[in-house]
């Protein structure tokens, strides 16, 4: 009797399957209705979104809203993007398992975690020191040892680890930072919201082929501003 009770308790607390948590069914529904039904079909992206526990990336008071169809505040005037935008930006990057990615704007670390489920290594830079500390601790606790996070102005990129196959900027800039284009690998892809901070911005994608870059406009988005130190 006691053994049965213990086994039952272990099941309920998720000790038999580390991925299971009380939000799992909500998360799977989020992926179906907000992401798959809106046209994203890349299996790696869908699986990453199914796996990363988004509720652990938002402040406690927003935990039960973590899987809703909108961005949420993460403190210091910053936000974690709407789930669909995270999936969309990850999808257009066409991430592959052997790739090296650079993210500018770590924020909560959620986008970095989604990428880290797919690619080999993620380098991420954040300009708010408190967020660097919080997300570094969070990602470590969740076992993401293929993410390296540092404090700094992402405008300059991370030359020590360049070139990057993928670069994702999650804050809105008025212009594409030149160092990021320089640090993009041959056949690499960069996505960045471009436009005035308080307005709707244009998500742009830069690709590099034979050393030449090409810029394409993707869609309209709204991001917090890209800051400079
Ligand atoms: N990707 C994040 C959301 C980021 S919000 C997530 O998944 O939660 C945008 C972030 O970009 C903010 O945390 C902001 O502080 C940061 N940021 C703005 N300008 C920056 C810069 N120049 N370098 C690095 N980070 C910057």
């Amino acid at each position: 009797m006691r053994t049965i009770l213990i086994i039952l308790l272990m099941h309920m607390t998720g000790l038999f399957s580390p991925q299971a948590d009380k939000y799992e069914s909500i998360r799977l529904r989020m992926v179906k209705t907000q992401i798959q039904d809106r046209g994203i079909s890349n299996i790696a992206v869908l699986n990453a979104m199914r796996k990363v526990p988004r509720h652990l990336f938002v402040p406690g008071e927003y935990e039960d809203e973590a899987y809703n169809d909108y961005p949420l505040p993460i403190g210091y005037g910053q936000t974690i993007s709407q789930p669909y935008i995270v999936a969309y930006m990850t999808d257009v990057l066409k991430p592959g398992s052997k790739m090296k990615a650079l993210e500018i704007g770590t924020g909560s670390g959620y986008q970095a975690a989604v990428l880290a489920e797919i690619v080999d290594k993620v380098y991420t830079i954040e300009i708010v020191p408190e967020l660097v500390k919080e997300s570094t601790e969070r990602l470590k606790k969740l076992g993401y040892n293929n993410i390296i996070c540092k404090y700094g102005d992402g405008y300059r990129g991370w030359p020590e680890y360049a070139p990057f196959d993928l670069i994702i900027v999650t804050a809105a800039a008025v212009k594409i930072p030149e160092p990021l284009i320089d640090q993009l690998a041959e056949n690499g892809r960069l996505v960045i919201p471009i436009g005035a901070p308080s307005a709707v911005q244009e998500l742009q994608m830069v690709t590099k082929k034979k050393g030449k870059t090409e810029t394409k406009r993707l869609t309209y988005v709204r991001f917090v501003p890209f800051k400079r130190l």
Side-chain angles (χ1 to χ4, degrees):
M1 185 61 194
R2 190 179 289 171
T3 323
I4 291 172
L5 197 71
I6 289 171
I7 289 174
L8 202 71
L9 274 172
M10 285 173 86
H11 266 294
M12 284 162 65
T13 51
L15 282 177
F16 279 149
S17 52
Q19 288 317 314
D21 58 70
K22 67 172 176 164
Y23 290 102
E24 192 175 30
S25 61
I26 297 175
R27 186 164 56 247
L28 296 182
R29 182 149 30 94
M30 176 271 276
V31 174
K32 172 78 177 72
T33 60
Q34 298 176 34
I35 296 166
Q36 230 174 343
D37 289 355
R38 288 181 184 150
I40 291 175
S41 58
N42 181 325
I43 280 294
V45 175
L46 296 174
N47 280 341
M49 298 295 294
R50 286 181 185 122
K51 193 166 169 200
V52 182
R54 183 172 161 96
H55 62 282
L56 300 180
F57 289 78
V58 302
E61 72 249 52
Y62 294 114
E63 198 186 281
D64 57 355
E65 290 180 64
Y67 298 97
N68 292 358
D69 200 10
Y70 45 78
L72 285 170
I74 53 169
Y76 318 97
Q78 308 305 325
T79 54
I80 176 174
S81 303
Q82 174 192 5
Y84 174 70
I85 290 295
V86 174
Y88 180 84
M89 287 174 82
T90 310
D91 186 46
V92 296
L93 283 172
K94 296 198 176 76
S97 61
K98 294 194 172 68
M99 293 181 180
K100 188 161 79 169
L102 172 70
E103 179 194 30
I104 311 301
T106 316
S108 67
Y110 179 69
Q111 173 74 72
V114 169
L115 269 172
E117 290 288 348
I118 307 170
V119 305
D120 184 45
K121 203 137 193 131
V122 179
Y123 297 87
T124 179
I125 308 173
E126 170 56 54
I127 207 165
V128 176
E130 292 87 346
L131 286 173
V132 177
K133 188 167 176 284
E134 284 174 27
S135 51
T136 302
E137 280 167 13
R138 173 179 295 126
L139 292 165
K140 191 175 166 217
K141 215 161 126 188
L142 291 170
Y144 286 103
N145 43 32
N146 60 340
I147 303 176
I148 306 183
C149 184
K150 78 160 180 179
Y151 162 75
D153 181 351
Y155 186 92
R156 292 189 291 268
W158 204 330
E160 293 88 336
Y161 293 109
F164 299 97
D165 305 300
L166 313 173
I167 301 180
I168 177 168
V169 182
T170 62
V174 263
K175 193 177 158 289
I176 305 174
E178 207 58 49
L180 298 186
I181 294 182
D182 295 341
Q183 290 171 33
L184 192 61
E186 180 62 25
N187 294 316
R189 281 178 290 275
L190 178 159
V191 281
I192 179 168
I194 294 290
S198 52
V200 165
Q201 305 107 21
E202 221 176 54
L203 193 66
Q204 298 189 354
M205 176 150 80
V206 180
T207 47
K208 199 185 257 186
K209 283 202 182 87
K210 298 202 177 86
K212 277 204 177 127
T213 57
E214 198 179 286
T215 306
K216 214 169 90 181
R217 298 162 166 192
L218 298 177
T219 185
Y220 292 100
V221 287
R222 200 181 267 270
F223 274 85
V224 294
F226 194 96
K227 294 188 288 195
R228 300 300 315 274
L229 275 182

